[in-house]
Amino acid sequence: MKQVALFCALAAPVAAVAADNVGHWYVTPQIGGISVDNDRPVQDKDWLYGLGIGKHVSDALSIEMNLNGSQIGGGPGRSDLSLYGGSLDLLRVFNRAGKVSPYLSAGLGVVQNERSPGSNATDFMTQAGVGLLINTWESADGSSSFALRPDLKARWDDAGSAGHLVDYIGTLGFQYSFGAPKARAAEPTPLPPPAPTPPPPPPAPADTDKDGVTDDIDRCPGTPAGIAVDTVGCPLKGSITLEGVTFETNSAQLTSDSRTVLNGVATGLKKYPRLKIELQGHTDSSGSDRYNLTLSRQRADSVRTHLLEQGVATSQLTAKGYGEAQPVADNTTADGRATNRRVVMQVLDNPGEVKVEGAVR
């Protein structure tokens, strides 16, 4: 039906901008008239009274419950007719923040026909209309406002059935809206005075032996190429512990911070292509043994896949899951379980340039 299609179109999402009374509730007493269908056995016009209660849900959309009633004389030899309508209406509002805001409306509901004398009937009805919100007053803090609301509607009584009746309603409403005050605009922060132009930076120190440590802090100049060095340029000995790799909850999906850490690991591994490691996945004791074994293997595989994507040679990396079988901390505490959820880099073959051990967690 055309009326239902219009109702659905008005309910479609609409891009909204800030409006003063979005989120506010409102009440709208109404007074006006009704012109009934020519097929009704009553006089064709009479007074109508109504009340709307609704909410402005966005800059472009309001939703309201609308109730109205009228008593129409039948004339000599005819029954008097009382019509009482109730509907849920959607209002598509244009120019919400302006002085005058036009709107389209559509609604679904019921209309009660009470004949005196005669039988009563309750019919399904639809309605559609147009109107204006003429905004006349707003409180200083924006928490309440008042508007005049002229409105015209066509109402289909017993909509969708053969021989349905069409009544026309015109009202003038007095709409009072109320809700939270609107946010005050922050005071602009004065701009600081312009900073003086800084002197040009000194030239970057040289790295004569190309070990990644500049000459000004290199305590072991002349290190042969291919030897891993520490932060002061001397041949690296002992162990390196890499930390900071984490996964999404109950998943083998690496977090974005973990990828950054592993990118640095990949850079180091590519410098030493003869170094071979096993990536060992471990979990805490939460969950079943089978689930933890599978998850640990998947997490080790995720680390290996990312390192391979960064250019590490396939021959350098293997991956294996150990589940919960090798805890290094107490699984009864949250900190202990977090420590046990880890991926360990275990050295399988080290030609001597660097020794790497520890956990990537």
Side-chain angles (χ1 to χ4, degrees), residues 166-241:
V166 184
D167 302 324
Y168 297 94
I169 298 171
T171 60
L172 176 63
F174 305 91
Q175 183 162 297
Y176 176 71
S177 302
F178 54 93
K182 60 185 178 183
R184 294 182 175 272
E187 292 292 333
T189 303
L191 296 175
T197 304
D207 179 13
T208 305
D209 57 8
K210 307 299 182 184
D211 61 359
V213 179
T214 56
D215 293 349
D216 58 324
I217 59 174
D218 194 338
R219 296 181 183 175
C220 300
T223 304
I227 299 298
V229 298
D230 58 20
T231 56
V232 293
C234 294
L236 188 62
K237 299 178 181 179
S239 63
I240 302 171
T241 300

Side-chain angles (χ1 to χ4, degrees), residues 307-322:
L307 293 175
L308 293 177
E309 290 172 350
Q310 303 307 307
V312 179
T314 305
S315 60
Q316 288 187 261
L317 302 174
T318 59
K320 186 175 180 180
Y322 289 85

